[in-house]
Amino acid sequence: IDQVPMTMFPTGDQWHTIPEDSRFHACLPGDRYQGESTYCWFKGNYAVPAQYAGQTLYIRPRIEGYEAMLWVDGKPFGTFCSKIVVTGHGNHYCDMLKQDVQEDQLIAIALEYYAGHYVKGCMPFEENGATSFDFEYSGVDICLLNAEVADFFFDLKTLNQLASSLDHDSFRRADVVNTLMEVHKLLFYSYDAVDAEAFYHALQQASPLLKVILKATNSASAPFAGLIGHSHMDTAWLWQRDETIKKCARTYSNQMNLMERYPEYTFIQSSAYHTEMVRKHYPALFEDIKQKVKEGRYEPNGAVWVECDCNLTSGESLIRQFLWGQRYTQEHFNFTSNVFWLPDTFGYSAAIPQIMKGCGVDYFLTTKLGWNDTTRFPYETFYWKGLDGTQVLTHFNKTHIWPDAENLIDFVVNGRRHQDAIREKTVTNMRLLSYGFGDGGGGPQFEMIEMARRVKDLEGVPRSAHVTVSEFMQKLEQTVVNPSTHTGELYLQLHRGTLTNQHTIKRNNRKAEYLLRDLEYITVKEAIQADRIVSDEGIRPLMETLLVNQFHDTLPGTSIPKAHDQCISEMTELMEIADKLLRERIATRPVENLLSVVNTLSFERRDTVYLPMVDDWMVAGEQEQQVFEDLQGNRRLAVAGLTIPAFSSVALRLQKGIPVVPVGESSFIYTGDSLETPFAQVAFDEQGFLSSFVDKRNGRELRGAGHPLNTFLMAEDVPEAWDSWDIDADIELKLAPSAKLLSRKVVADGPVELRIRSEYRISPRSTIRQDMIFYAASPEVRFETIMDWQDDHRLLKTAFATSIHTDYANQEVQFGYLRRPTTRNNDEQKAMFEVLNHKYSDLSETRYGIALLNDCKYGVSVKGGEMSLTLHKGGLRPDFRGDKGIHECTYSFYPHNEGFGAASVIHPAYELNCPPLIVAGEYDSASLARVDAANIIIETIKPCEDAERAFILRLYEAEGTYTRTQLSLSCSPKALQLTNMLEEVIETLGGTDVTELVFRPFEIKTVKVSY
């Protein structure tokens, strides 16, 4: 191969689509290449000499480099990595080239090498020294495996592991030690110092001694380790997504190579999106994968589109991840996943079990809870009970290990090295070990499978066999004895900063989820109005962009700069296109000087509506309204008193000539350090924070012991490890008021609202501009906020120390809420110092409460009566730029003169996040769907996955109580059918225009409406 002329990298689908930002070279022996994202190709043909006929050939490149892919006869067929690098790719130095070769057979060989890119690191202050990666090509070795040496090596390694892992009082270990002593007497260790004949003669004498001791088998009661190859593949992390395409090809082609060599070998690949990348870019490899799936050896089991973040994604987004993943494997492999495979996500919502079951998935596997920093999760195999009571069998498997004697004994039996063996030995004696290198791909090496062969049934080591994950979990479920049950979320006591890091990514996600929700609803309604089939109509590519960017290192904001930039660019474009489609699709009847306000929520709303202020036009009639200028300098019109029915609209006639001043007198009395509203008596401190807030409805002081309401707290944020991932508990010792008031003035005062604009310096480098808004028709205090963040390694919170007395907080998660303790009674509660919320956190007594609402924030801490919303985190690794820039968010302090419920908390939280649509002209006011129970939320109205004269309603019970409700539809449906979340029909419902639905607490229902 060294002498064959080199050719330039070929283009087109035959090989691979070239990313625009990559540079490619044809390389010659001795050449050395450096640079960022450089690819180098070596090509040539190898003619098989006569003496190798009938044998198996191997290939070993002599290239010092990063990652490489082997192509054989025009198809990807293996992976190489000459050293273990930041990707966790492994040390794949040798691949099988061909089995049973023929004399003079011509083998076309190509090697694609990736020179890598610079990653500063993941830990605080980490500075990886190299500024570029390089490689040098010095040839390729075509090899034959010395079976005698290899066999002896793996036998000897297995016995050495037995000697080091078995109990020292074990008679089995004594036998092993005695055998090794006899082998020691025979072997030459310095093989260069003896002639080959003597060296091999010694091996031949010693080998039978090893074979004898390896023949001893287990009893029937021995524990069992299920083995399967796996390579965790991050869709983006320390590389961007274009590189993941090639990582997938390298890794999955490597599995084809291994499966040809080892007929017992099985492999699980968990993300449908990764398979689709292979199908698009490497069609020949995709066909090979399809064949191995048919053989039952390559398991496309994982159920989701990407291994998504499970904290920050909305409930509907989680369902779409399953819906897309399941439909993909059904379409291409006739395979329905029964396992949710999610080893590396940073916590698991209590909504997941119901969503899993609704998508045909029975089992959940992860490894991440083993990373807890405070307490140890007590089980490896248990039932996980979610919000609504749905249970799924859950198993904590192991990844990134070898399937050898040492690991089987450690992770199944005694835990001597890692303290992670099966603890509840009365429940099961089974554990799944998924082995191979991962994060950046690679997967198993052939040495791993060789070791697995020797421990299949070896006395002193758990019995083992290659299985599929599906087979393992079904057998586990059949054999478990009295497993424990864990109820609620699987909270990861680590990586709490992922709820906040990279503000723009998280805000884009929340905004895009609601924008696509509105787009789908309008698309359905307009199709019904036009009496035509409901189809996707351009939504699918936008939904794919959303789902891919919910990957568990993308949405949490824990990737390199280029990956973050790609996410922000794609999500910005998504929202621009979605907004354009939405505006194009709303079919209004042109009426001069008329605006329609469209409510896309499933309940009646009466909150203040904000209209763009154009040419001094105002709303005609008696409507309370006032003009103001927002923080961005836009003139807006605030209109109060509108009642907009569910999924309906109201029309507003505009009139010029009305004075552009508040219509009516002010509803507020403001003196500078105090304010009286229709709902509250408020006092301000010298920083403009709320030093007192008395609810006039009951005379109650809402400020509790602690800082004034809306105090900005800042602390240095340097975690022990994982800079952009973690917030450590000791940060609470450093959090302190940080803001200095620079300016403060009233910028709007009228019958609708009073708006106080303040500017703060929160550090020597960062500032905040904020409008504090009080309403005449609501007790809400809204905080519209613009941060100019220029800090590194700092964390910012806004604190609301209230007088509410309760032992728990109600905090929204997908399709419901969790009751989390406000106390710190034990280590487990202390570990939950930073937790997830979606649109709200609420502290409530039985007849009164205070909610903290937000429009794009997810991290929050609650202690006693204090809620602190996390506004920003300044991590610097792996994105060394931090999170500097201009960032917007809105949050609300919302007292309610009743207990927690739909009307008091849940509806206002939706209203903050899903403002009404404002369109010119008259819009159809017919309400497409209504429910008569306030706690039943119609979360989604969407096209069916397959275009037809039908659409999907997704409803859920939001308060946690058994409920009967009437569902009313205005489209004269021909049939109503209850489906699972994959839109497969379960039963036909009675009634058409009106039907009764019965919900258990937090139940999600999916209804197919045919018209």
Side-chain angles (χ1 to χ4, degrees):
I1 192 170
D2 292 348
Q3 284 72 44
V4 176
M6 301 296 153
T7 59
M8 291 301 292
F9 179 83
T11 60
D13 291 339
Q14 179 186 358
W15 294 92
H16 182 65
T17 302
I18 304 173
E20 292 181 0
D21 60 350
S22 297
R23 290 177 291 136
F24 294 84
H25 306 275
C27 305
L28 295 170
D31 284 351
R32 192 169 186 87
Y33 296 91
Q34 288 185 306
E36 178 110 350
S37 298
T38 300
Y39 287 87
C40 188
W41 274 76
F42 310 88
K43 292 187 65 190
N45 297 312
Y46 179 76
V48 178
Q51 67 265 34
Y52 295 154
Q55 300 199 57
T56 298
L57 300 182
Y58 296 80
I59 181 170
R60 182 179 62 191
R62 283 183 276 115
I63 310 172
E64 184 69 20
Y66 197 62
E67 295 177 33
M69 180 160 59
L70 168 68
W71 297 69
V72 177
D73 294 334
K75 290 199 306 187
F77 195 57
T79 185
F80 294 100
C81 187
S82 62
K83 54 190 174 183
I84 297 176
V85 294
V86 292
T87 62
H89 191 280
N91 188 26
H92 298 79
Y93 64 93
C94 184
D95 269 335
M96 185 183 76
L97 184 60
K98 282 279 186 178
Q99 284 184 315
D100 192 24
V101 294
Q102 306 302 308
E103 181 180 351
D104 295 329
Q105 180 178 353
L106 198 65
I107 305 172
I109 300 170
L111 295 171
E112 175 196 69
Y113 252 83
Y114 174 50
H117 55 268
Y118 179 46
V119 177
K120 276 200 170 187
C122 294
M123 309 303 167
F125 313 119
E126 187 173 3
E127 294 283 350
N128 288 326
T131 56
S132 67
F133 293 87
D134 61 340
F135 51 84
E136 182 176 7
Y137 172 64
S138 56
V140 168
D141 295 321
I142 304 296
C143 314
L144 292 175
L145 179 70
N146 188 319
E148 186 178 14
V149 173
D151 190 53
F152 187 88
F153 171 82
F154 294 118
D155 286 353
L156 182 61
K157 184 176 181 179
T158 299
L159 287 191
N160 272 296
Q161 288 188 351
L162 281 176
S164 65
S165 299
L166 291 174
D167 193 299
H168 278 236
D169 293 329
S170 160
F171 288 107
R172 171 64 168 160
R173 180 181 182 277
D175 288 343
V176 170
V177 170
N178 286 337
T179 298
L180 291 173
M181 291 173 67
E182 294 303 312
V183 170
H184 168 74
K185 295 176 184 178
L186 298 170
L187 289 182
F188 292 100
Y189 296 112
S190 180
Y191 52 85
D192 289 333
V194 298
D195 59 60
E197 184 178 350
F199 178 80
Y200 281 104
H201 179 69
L203 250 61
Q204 290 159 4
Q205 285 185 301
S207 182
L209 301 178
L210 302 182
K211 295 296 184 188
V212 169
I213 199 76
L214 289 172
K215 283 182 180 178
T217 59
N218 279 296
S219 68
S221 62
F224 176 74
L227 305 179
I228 190 166
H230 178 58
S231 180
H232 179 60
M233 182 71 71
D234 283 320
T235 302
W237 180 32
L238 304 181
W239 51 88
Q240 66 277 11
R241 217 158 54 234
D242 284 347
E243 183 57 26
T244 307
I245 298 171
K246 297 192 173 209
K247 286 179 176 288
C248 287
R250 296 176 199 128
T251 299
Y252 305 150
S253 64
N254 191 47
Q255 310 319 308
M256 302 301 104
N257 191 315
L258 293 173
M259 285 178 182
E260 283 200 17
R261 296 167 65 181
Y262 299 98
E264 75 273 26
Y265 176 61
T266 57
F267 178 81
I268 179 171
Q269 189 237 308
S270 56
S271 293
Y273 172 69
H274 294 165
T275 312
E276 174 62 5
M277 288 195 293
V278 171
R279 188 188 71 83
K280 282 183 177 180
H281 296 279
Y282 301 92
L285 174 58
F286 179 77
E287 291 302 317
D288 289 343
I289 290 173
K290 285 181 70 174
Q291 179 57 40
K292 297 305 180 187
V293 171
K294 286 181 182 178
E295 295 172 9
R297 302 175 61 199
Y298 191 106
E299 187 179 17
N301 203 348
V304 283
W305 189 240
V306 299
E307 290 183 7
C308 57
D309 179 271
C310 288
N311 282 323
L312 307 165
T313 47
S314 71
E316 186 60 33
S317 292
L318 271 177
I319 291 176
R320 300 299 175 92
Q321 293 283 355
F322 282 95
L323 179 61
W324 279 47
Q326 292 285 49
R327 284 177 66 90
Y328 187 88
T329 55
Q330 288 169 350
E331 176 185 355
H332 292 285
F333 304 121
N334 193 29
F335 184 96
T336 301
S337 297
N338 64 349
V339 166
F340 188 21
W341 179 273
L342 209 60
D344 193 34
T345 298
F346 312 139
Y348 306 97
S349 164
I352 288 174
Q354 183 180 189
I355 295 173
M356 285 174 55
K357 287 289 189 179
C359 295
V361 183
D362 297 319
Y363 309 115
F364 178 64
L365 288 95
T366 187
T367 66
K368 202 67 178 184
L369 270 291
W371 291 46
N372 277 359
D373 63 10
T374 306
T375 67
R376 184 177 178 187
F377 196 85
Y379 322 122
E380 289 78 39
T381 298
F382 59 98
Y383 277 101
W384 178 20
K385 183 186 290 187
L387 271 181
D388 70 316
T390 298
Q391 294 190 149
V392 292
L393 183 64
T394 298
H395 182 67
F396 289 173
N397 62 303
K398 298 303 298 181
T399 60
H400 297 167
I401 62 172
W402 280 63
D404 54 21
E406 185 175 68
N407 281 296
L408 266 65
I409 293 170
D410 190 50
F411 289 116
V412 177
V413 181
N414 61 33
R416 186 175 296 150
R417 288 187 304 130
H418 294 96
Q419 291 76 51
D420 191 12
I422 297 173
R423 278 172 292 171
E424 288 193 307
K425 291 182 168 61
T426 58
V427 172
T428 184
N429 67 351
M430 297 175 60
R431 196 164 198 194
L432 183 71
L433 306 181
S434 51
Y435 64 91
F437 291 101
D439 286 348
Q445 299 173 186
F446 78 92
E447 297 96 328
M448 295 177 175
I449 307 175
E450 290 288 348
M451 293 298 288
R453 283 184 162 182
R454 284 154 177 80
V455 297
K456 183 175 181 179
D457 190 4
L458 178 63
E459 184 184 358
V461 182
R463 292 174 296 116
S464 62
H466 278 90
V467 296
T468 65
V469 179
S470 177
E471 292 167 349
F472 178 88
M473 291 304 295
Q474 290 176 41
K475 181 65 179 295
L476 181 65
E477 187 171 44
Q478 293 164 6
T479 58
V480 290
V481 179
N482 299 324
S484 299
T485 299
H486 175 86
T487 301
E489 68 183 321
L490 293 174
Y491 176 80
L492 177 64
Q493 298 171 2
L494 195 74
H495 293 355
R496 302 167 183 89
T498 61
L499 303 177
T500 301
N501 202 57
Q502 291 294 323
H503 167 93
T504 301
I505 288 175
K506 290 174 173 59
R507 188 173 192 269
N508 285 351
N509 179 73
R510 179 83 67 89
K511 300 304 181 184
E513 285 177 334
Y514 278 97
L515 183 54
L516 289 179
R517 175 192 181 277
D518 285 352
L519 177 58
E520 287 187 324
Y521 159 64
I522 293 298
T523 298
V524 168
K525 182 163 184 180
E526 294 301 332
I528 293 170
Q529 288 293 107
D531 195 26
R532 56 181 169 81
I533 289 174
V534 182
S535 63
D536 176 84
E537 298 186 49
I539 300 173
R540 185 173 182 84
L542 303 180
M543 186 62 68
E544 179 173 358
T545 297
L546 175 69
L547 298 182
V548 168
N549 282 292
Q550 290 177 335
F551 176 71
H552 68 253
D553 276 309
T554 303
L555 184 51
T558 50
S559 294
I560 59 171
K562 190 169 184 179
H564 287 163
D565 292 345
Q566 181 179 14
C567 171
I568 291 170
S569 174
E570 289 180 350
M571 292 294 287
T572 300
E573 183 181 24
L574 178 161
M575 289 188 285
E576 290 171 353
I577 295 172
D579 186 69
K580 182 174 181 290
L581 289 176
L582 182 62
R583 299 298 165 183
E584 291 173 351
R585 261 167 219 180
I586 297 181
T588 58
R589 184 172 67 88
V591 178
E592 190 176 2
N593 302 334
L594 200 71
L595 285 181
S596 289
V597 182
V598 183
N599 178 12
T600 63
L601 296 173
S602 64
F603 49 85
E604 181 178 273
R605 63 188 304 167
R606 299 186 181 88
D607 55 320
T608 298
V609 172
Y610 292 99
L611 307 178
M613 189 69 190
V614 181
D615 295 332
D616 293 343
W617 290 85
M618 299 186 72
V619 176
E622 300 299 320
Q623 211 68 52
E624 292 181 335
Q625 55 194 301
Q626 67 184 86
V627 178
F628 69 96
E629 186 177 283
D630 66 17
L631 281 166
Q632 290 83 7
N634 303 310
R635 296 181 74 227
R636 308 283 299 279
L637 182 64
V639 182
L642 294 179
T643 298
I644 318 172
F647 291 119
S648 185
S649 63
V650 297
L652 298 178
R653 185 166 298 281
L654 300 182
Q655 182 176 335
K656 203 165 186 179
I658 301 175
V660 187
V661 294
V663 178
E665 297 180 358
S666 172
S667 300
F668 309 92
I669 302 173
Y670 177 69
T671 63
D673 57 2
S674 68
L675 169 68
E676 184 174 358
T677 82
F679 289 89
Q681 186 70 50
V682 180
F684 303 98
D685 71 359
E686 64 279 2
Q687 298 298 330
F689 300 140
L690 299 153
S691 59
S692 174
F693 191 105
V694 177
D695 191 329
K696 291 166 60 175
R697 295 170 294 182
N698 58 12
R700 179 171 185 172
E701 171 63 68
L702 301 188
R703 183 205 170 178
H707 301 295
L709 304 174
N710 193 43
T711 296
F712 294 125
L713 306 176
M714 185 177 272
E716 184 184 40
D717 173 35
V718 182
E720 180 182 5
W722 302 110
D723 196 16
S724 289
W725 286 260
D726 287 355
I727 299 173
D728 290 350
D730 57 11
I731 200 168
E732 293 189 326
L733 302 175
K734 288 194 170 188
L735 282 168
S738 64
K740 179 182 179 181
L741 183 64
L742 302 179
S743 65
R744 182 168 176 260
K745 63 179 179 179
V746 173
V747 294
D749 184 4
V752 178
E753 65 176 41
L754 181 132
R755 185 175 290 251
I756 303 173
R757 182 161 298 162
S758 302
E759 184 172 0
Y760 297 95
R761 180 163 298 284
I762 56 170
S763 78
R765 299 172 180 166
S766 299
T767 59
I768 284 178
R769 295 173 62 233
Q770 185 176 76
D771 279 2
M772 182 187 299
I773 309 156
F774 298 87
Y775 293 95
S778 168
E780 175 187 9
V781 184
R782 185 171 294 187
F783 301 89
E784 293 180 355
T785 308
I786 297 179
M787 295 179 283
D788 182 355
W789 183 271
Q790 300 299 329
D791 275 284
D792 296 332
H793 282 144
R794 294 293 183 271
L795 188 82
L796 178 67
K797 285 178 171 284
T798 177
F800 291 84
T802 76
S803 61
I804 301 298
H805 179 69
T806 179
D807 294 334
Y808 58 85
N810 305 306
Q811 297 179 301
E812 190 189 35
V813 296
Q814 300 90 341
F815 295 117
Y817 63 91
L818 287 175
R819 289 187 170 187
R820 294 194 182 98
T822 63
T823 53
R824 304 280 178 94
N825 289 340
N826 52 48
D827 285 345
E828 185 174 350
Q829 290 184 2
K830 290 175 183 177
M832 298 179 72
F833 61 86
E834 182 84 2
V835 295
L836 166 75
N837 75 169
H838 276 234
K839 297 186 291 292
Y840 65 80
S841 283
D842 175 76
L843 296 173
S844 281
E845 300 160 3
T846 58
R847 299 185 182 184
Y848 194 90
I850 298 171
L852 186 58
L853 317 178
N854 77 85
D855 77 336
C856 64
K857 290 298 171 186
Y858 296 92
V860 67
S861 56
V862 181
K863 185 177 183 181
E866 181 171 291
M867 295 183 284
S868 299
L869 189 68
T870 309
L871 298 181
H872 214 75
K873 174 177 168 63
L876 290 170
R877 298 291 186 275
D879 191 337
F880 52 83
R881 303 168 303 182
D883 195 11
K884 298 179 178 67
I886 306 299
H887 301 294
E888 299 177 36
C889 67
T890 298
Y891 55 92
S892 288
F893 176 77
Y894 201 98
H896 47 94
N897 199 24
E898 56 183 306
F900 171 82
S904 60
V905 176
I906 299 168
H907 289 184
Y910 269 96
E911 290 167 352
L912 179 65
N913 280 268
C914 193
L917 304 177
I918 312 299
V919 293
E922 185 177 27
Y923 188 68
D924 173 46
S925 61
S927 182
L928 179 58
R930 297 192 311 276
V931 286
D932 61 3
N935 57 312
I936 303 300
I937 305 293
I938 301 177
E939 179 73 6
T940 301
I941 298 178
K942 66 177 287 288
C944 295
E945 288 300 298
D946 300 308
E948 53 184 302
R949 292 184 64 85
F951 62 92
I952 296 296
L953 294 176
R954 189 110 56 217
L955 312 89
Y956 76 101
E957 195 287 311
E959 285 184 350
T961 188
Y962 177 90
T963 303
R964 289 180 177 271
T965 190
Q966 298 289 323
L967 170 65
S968 302
L969 298 161
S970 65
C971 60
S972 300
K974 294 179 180 177
L976 298 179
Q977 295 169 306
L978 194 65
T979 77
N980 62 16
M981 295 176 193
L982 301 179
E983 301 177 18
E984 299 165 342
V985 174
I986 299 172
E987 65 176 275
T988 298
L989 298 171
T992 52
D993 290 354
V994 179
T995 189
E996 184 177 69
L997 297 175
V998 180
F999 289 79
R1000 66 179 183 271
F1002 298 121
E1003 182 181 4
I1004 307 163
K1005 285 188 184 294
T1006 305
V1007 177
K1008 181 177 180 179
V1009 182
S1010 301
Y1011 61 92

